Amino acid sequence: MSKSVKPNTPIVDHIFTADPSAHVFEGKIYVYPSHDLDHDGPSNDNGDQYAMEDYHVLSLDDFNSPCVDHGEALHLRDIPWAKQQLWAPDAAFKNDTYYLFFPARDHEGIFRIGVATSSSPAGPFAPQENYIPGSFSIDPAVLVDEDDRAYIYFGGLWGGQLEKWQTGSFVPDAEGPAPTAPAIGPRVAELTEDMLNFKEAPKEISIVDEEGNPILAGDEDRRYFEGPWVHKHNGYYYLSYSTGTTHKIVYAMSQNPQGPYIFKGTILNPVMGWTTHHSIVKVEDKWYLFYHDASLSGGIDHKRSVKYTKLTYNEDGTIQTIDPYKD
Ligand code: FUB
């Protein structure tokens, strides 16, 4: 067990962790990260270096307490439909049950999204036999809204295969749109009451500029790449995500959980490592950003560490840009 965790330092250092989804459950801060492992395989744009096999759940009583590793909460070997690559997960609470949503490649090599359940936020989680019917791509994030309706957001380009689903079915050699065409957006679907199925076919979220024009595929400082997260503040929905090639966490706002979202700006400047991935959580009356970087491993991007820092809103509801290496 580590000592209390300071901002902008790894919350644990006995394992490598990435892609943190943070929530307050039962009065504690729970973090659901990926568990990065050593591997001997290739590193490429397909993400083969991210060969994760299990999930550990982490928790903190508060920011003055040590971070507890609750151990293995779910392993690849126990998920009948999944072959490899347990990537970025998220958790949600509804129906007196904790749900872990996670992506993995199925036995055909296609990324799908699965669900596992537990009576405890720390797990262990029991997976469903099959992935969510109609699910595809990576990086699920679930918002249970104030009216108790739940929405799942997901999708990631390149290794995450989102550009291969532009026709509605999987086209293995499909590429992304031309730079002057609208960028591919993340997907959203409302979940059924039992949280185990999509209520409807997933829809593409439109992200537009202040004039209502779609963000274009060539606009790499603003276009969607992967890692969606939606939180609600003062009646607005905030969709934040990674821009991928330009390594930023940016955000857009809407009054509707399913969009369209208006692009606003940058939340987190680039971190050390290729990937950047985050979540935003309110703890008591303050807001925090959980993120990862690869500084502890010496910049080896498939061995990342979860950190946190404070997030500040301006009076008009916009978010101040964070530099991860300045306090
Ligand atoms: O950790 C594997 C992948 O890297 C995640 O799914 C992406 O968001 C990126 O962080």
Side-chain angles (χ1 to χ4, degrees), residues 247-279:
H247 315 288
K248 297 176 184 179
I249 298 290
V250 296
Y251 74 106
M253 292 169 64
S254 179
Q255 286 182 292
N256 185 319
Q258 311 201 49
Y261 282 84
I262 301 174
F263 186 88
K264 291 292 172 183
T266 299
I267 296 179
L268 182 67
N269 286 332
V271 294
M272 187 184 288
W274 200 93
T275 67
T276 183
H277 192 117
H278 77 300
S279 60

Side-chain angles (χ1 to χ4, degrees), residues 19 34 50 52 87-88 138-139 226-227 275-277 292 304:
D19 308 327
S34 305
Y50 303 110
M52 296 85 107
W87 285 11
I138 59 166
D139 291 357
E226 64 184 1
T275 67
T276 183
H277 192 117
H292 72 222
R304 300 157 292 180

Side-chain angles (χ1 to χ4, degrees), residues 66 110 176:
I110 300 176

Side-chain angles (χ1 to χ4, degrees), residues 43-277:
S43 289
N44 50 37
D45 289 346
N46 213 23
D48 289 337
Q49 61 275 37
Y50 303 110
M52 296 85 107
E53 294 178 359
D54 67 0
Y55 294 113
H56 284 223
V57 177
L58 309 176
S59 76
L60 303 116
D61 284 354
D62 54 43
F63 289 112
N64 299 313
S65 306
C67 185
V68 176
D69 177 356
H70 295 273
E72 185 179 289
L74 178 64
H75 195 281
L76 187 61
R77 74 173 91 81
D78 299 319
I79 309 167
W81 62 267
K83 182 173 160 219
Q84 63 195 60
Q85 288 171 303
L86 291 185
W87 285 11
D90 190 20
F93 178 68
K94 190 169 159 155
N95 307 324
D96 288 324
T97 302
Y98 292 92
Y99 298 87
L100 186 73
F101 293 86
F102 58 93
R105 283 185 196 252
D106 68 11
H107 295 285
E108 274 76 56
I110 300 176
F111 266 110
R112 306 287 186 177
I113 295 169
V115 196
T117 58
S118 177
S119 56
S120 162
F125 288 87
Q128 297 292 299
E129 248 340 82
N130 203 354
Y131 54 78
I132 301 175
S135 68
F136 54 90
S137 199
I138 59 166
D139 291 357
V142 172
L143 173 77
V144 181
D145 209 346
E146 284 151 309
D147 60 6
D148 219 33
R149 290 167 75 172
Y151 301 91
I152 183 166
Y153 302 84
F154 62 92
L157 300 177
W158 298 11
Q161 304 176 336
L162 185 58
E163 68 273 27
K164 301 184 191 310
W165 287 94
Q166 290 170 89
T167 62
S169 21
F170 185 75
V171 179
D173 53 2
E175 293 189 356
T180 51
I184 295 175
R187 300 301 199 268
V188 59
E190 190 171 347
L191 290 166
T192 49
E193 192 52 34
D194 65 6
M195 301 287 271
L196 302 178
N197 285 284
F198 295 160
K199 207 174 208 172
E200 60 205 353
K203 293 196 268 280
E204 184 170 356
I205 292 180
S206 158
I207 304 172
V208 299
D209 65 16
E210 298 281 354
E211 281 74 51
N213 303 310
I215 301 294
L216 302 181
D219 186 349
E220 296 185 31
D221 279 315
R222 299 193 293 176
R223 69 97 166 75
Y224 180 79
F225 188 86
E226 64 184 1
W229 184 261
V230 174
H231 74 281
K232 207 172 174 184
H233 173 61
N234 284 349
Y236 280 90
Y237 297 86
Y238 290 70
L239 165 67
S240 39
Y241 56 90
S242 164
T243 58
T245 49
T246 50
H247 315 288
K248 297 176 184 179
I249 298 290
V250 296
Y251 74 106
M253 292 169 64
S254 179
Q255 286 182 292
N256 185 319
Q258 311 201 49
Y261 282 84
I262 301 174
F263 186 88
K264 291 292 172 183
T266 299
I267 296 179
L268 182 67
N269 286 332
V271 294
M272 187 184 288
W274 200 93
T275 67
T276 183
H277 192 117

